Structures are given as structure tokens and as C-alpha cells.
Amino acid sequence: IVVEVKMSSIKSNFIAKDFARRVKQRRKTLMLPMTQLAKKLGVSEPEYTQIESGTRPPSRKLLTQISIELRTSEKWLVEGGY
């Protein structure tokens, strides 16, 4: 199933703390260390830390990469629910 999430939707509906909480929750469920995920995503640890703490939203491309690495949908990361 392919879920299309438009960038405007991400910006208008983006609640940073909820997104960050879902990313962190999913990463921990997969027992994936933050350092390892940052490396897989090709970003620095400080940059990834900002994303996971909710102080910086990811780019559209990075959102896609995060969802792939965390084996979940972009829609769930951005909006929650299922």
C-alpha cells in the first residue's frame, strides 16, 4: 500500500512533538540505536536528535527515508492512528 502525503499536509498538520514521539517509539520498538538510524539515514547524530526531539521537522525526502527504515508509513509518522 502506498500512502501519498503532500508536503503542504506535512507543514500544515505537522505537530512536531507528536511526530517525534512516534519516531522515537517506533525506533525503540525495533531496538534500533539512535546512532545507527542516523547513520542509515545519512544524517549527523545532532541533526537526527533534533528531529527526534521535535525541534526540527525532516525534509520530505528524509521523512520518506525515516518511514522506510522504521518500517512504517509516512502517514502514521505525521498523523498518527492507523
Side-chain angles (χ1 to χ4, degrees):
I1 298 174
V2 176
V3 176
E4 198 170 305
V5 179
K6 296 182 181 177
M7 196 61 188
S8 61
S9 171
I10 292 169
K11 288 182 179 175
S12 63
N13 296 325
F14 190 84
I15 300 173
K17 295 297 179 189
D18 289 339
F19 170 83
R21 181 183 46 76
R22 286 188 287 273
V23 169
K24 186 175 186 176
Q25 172 191 352
R26 185 68 183 146
R27 178 182 60 76
K28 287 187 170 201
T29 297
L30 296 174
M31 295 185 287
L32 186 61
M34 189 184 293
T35 54
Q36 187 178 353
L37 182 55
K39 186 175 181 177
K40 285 183 170 199
L41 296 171
V43 298
S44 68
E45 287 182 51
E47 183 178 358
Y48 181 78
T49 300
Q50 289 177 333
I51 291 167
E52 195 169 287
S53 68
T55 59
R56 178 181 175 271
S59 67
R60 178 69 177 88
K61 181 180 177 182
L62 191 54
L63 172 62
T64 299
Q65 290 175 295
I66 291 169
S67 70
I68 290 167
E69 292 299 332
L70 295 181
R71 295 180 277 191
T72 192
S73 70
E74 294 174 22
K75 184 174 176 64
W76 181 77
L77 289 174
V78 174
E79 299 174 10
Y82 264 117

